[in-house]
Amino acid sequence: MLKLLFLGDVVGEPGRRAVIDLIPIFKETRGVDFVVVNGVNSANGRGITPKISIDLLRAGAAVITSGDHIWDQKEIIPYIDTEPRLLRPINYPPNTPGSGSIVLDTAKGKIGVINVQGRTFMNTPLENPFLAIQAEVERMRSETPVIFVDVHCETTSEKIAMGRFLDGKVSAVVGTHTHTQTADEQIFPGGTAFLCDAGMCGPAQSCLGREIDPIIQRFLTGRPILYPVARGPVRVCGALIEIDERTGTATKIERVSEIWDGSAAQPHQ
Ligand SMILES: [Fe+2]
């Protein structure tokens, strides 16, 4: 049995610190074999830098996924072609820097990871995510049946459709981007584990990881305003998925949602 831990959008320095602290603890206490982290908001809430990518990989993340803010830190453009474990969404046009998928050799066999971005209510005009992922899953299944998909997407409908579309073809489909964890974890009839949104790894007392008052002011006034990443204890959200590595079928999925304040030996609910 393979235990895969996925952690949702890491928000800024507080989120990074919590995830870097907790990956080794999760590996030790929960027997996690493989960790995937969404790092698209890890640089002050927007994008990811080469240094942050290195820090997350050193902490024990095997693969970093991303999404709509992947290009926000300019230095990531020359870096992304040098680090295949940092993914950008697969449904960019041909010749876009970086890659949207990877297969890694592990002690429990080959594990594939694909990052795809939805289009509904998203600003980036990307290629059709369903067609893009269909082609990649077909190619990847000739290498391994163990495939994890991060679908970075605004709407529940697009994420659920993606999960159902891939049922029986991949091990798990978990959504990101909304920073709000859903409670619909399940295993579909074909054996694919699903969670519509993993939630974020970011400050617990916040609006999606940002300071509360500026966000409320933005809604009250309708005017643009700076909204810094919030501080304080972090809620670390994601999913722990058990997969039969011989068939790629998921046997269990449970949500992770725990508070980490950096002082206790263990995270708590
Ligand atoms: Fe996003």
Side-chain angles (χ1 to χ4, degrees):
M1 195 57 63
L2 165 75
K3 273 196 183 181
L4 185 150
L5 173 67
F6 177 63
L7 295 175
D9 312 43
V10 176
V11 182
E13 193 270 338
R16 295 195 314 263
R17 194 159 22 87
V19 165
I20 287 168
D21 282 352
L22 281 180
I23 288 175
I25 292 174
F26 280 133
K27 281 189 170 181
E28 194 182 316
T29 59
R30 304 188 192 192
V32 171
D33 300 296
F34 194 84
V35 179
V36 180
V37 176
N38 186 301
V40 76
N41 301 119
S42 56
N44 205 20
R46 286 185 178 272
I48 183 168
T49 64
K51 181 182 182 312
I52 293 170
S53 164
I54 291 164
D55 288 347
L56 292 171
L57 292 167
R58 279 204 184 130
V63 178
I64 302 168
T65 53
S66 64
D68 52 330
H69 290 292
I70 181 62
W71 313 115
D72 286 10
Q73 305 292 325
K74 296 302 166 225
E75 63 265 45
I76 210 65
I77 294 173
Y79 172 79
I80 199 165
D81 273 327
T82 72
E83 180 46 82
R85 294 172 294 175
L86 171 63
L87 303 183
R88 46 95 174 146
I90 197 163
N91 48 325
Y92 271 92
N95 302 320
T96 300
S99 171
S101 68
I102 188 170
V103 176
L104 290 174
D105 267 313
T106 76
K108 296 204 170 169
K110 288 186 175 184
I111 301 175
V113 179
I114 307 175
N115 190 190
V116 66
Q117 186 172 310
R119 297 198 292 189
T120 311
F121 300 140
M122 301 291 281
N123 288 329
T124 329
L126 295 188
E127 310 285 349
N128 186 314
F130 291 81
L131 296 177
I133 204 160
Q134 185 177 39
E136 182 59 10
V137 166
E138 276 173 23
R139 192 199 64 75
M140 202 174 259
R141 281 182 66 85
S142 66
E143 271 192 87
T144 179
V146 180
I147 301 173
F148 174 82
V149 176
D150 171 354
V151 53
H152 198 75
C153 202
E154 182 67 47
T155 65
T156 49
S157 59
E158 197 171 7
K159 286 188 264 202
I160 291 167
M162 180 63 76
R164 294 287 182 179
F165 180 61
L166 296 176
D167 183 23
K169 302 186 182 81
V170 305
S171 307
V173 176
V174 178
T176 52
H177 179 70
T178 71
H179 293 204
T180 303
Q181 188 176 69
T182 56
D184 59 337
E185 73 277 16
Q186 62 196 289
I187 296 176
F188 288 150
T192 297
F194 180 77
L195 176 62
C196 200
D197 203 293
M200 68 170 178
C201 300
Q205 301 306 321
S206 71
C207 287
L208 309 188
R210 303 296 186 143
E211 282 185 8
I212 294 166
D213 287 346
I215 297 290
I216 292 174
Q217 285 305 314
R218 191 164 169 250
F219 281 107
L220 278 171
T221 66
R223 295 195 299 267
I225 190 168
L226 283 176
Y227 40 94
V229 170
R231 315 295 306 174
V234 167
R235 183 167 289 281
V236 174
C237 291
L240 188 57
I241 302 156
E242 293 185 14
I243 300 163
D244 181 336
E245 65 268 32
R246 294 162 306 163
T247 62
T249 301
T251 54
K252 188 176 177 188
I253 176 167
E254 57 184 90
R255 281 180 285 133
V256 172
S257 175
E258 295 176 27
I259 295 287
W260 177 248
D261 62 14
S263 59
Q266 295 284 330
H268 55 88
Q269 296 284 321

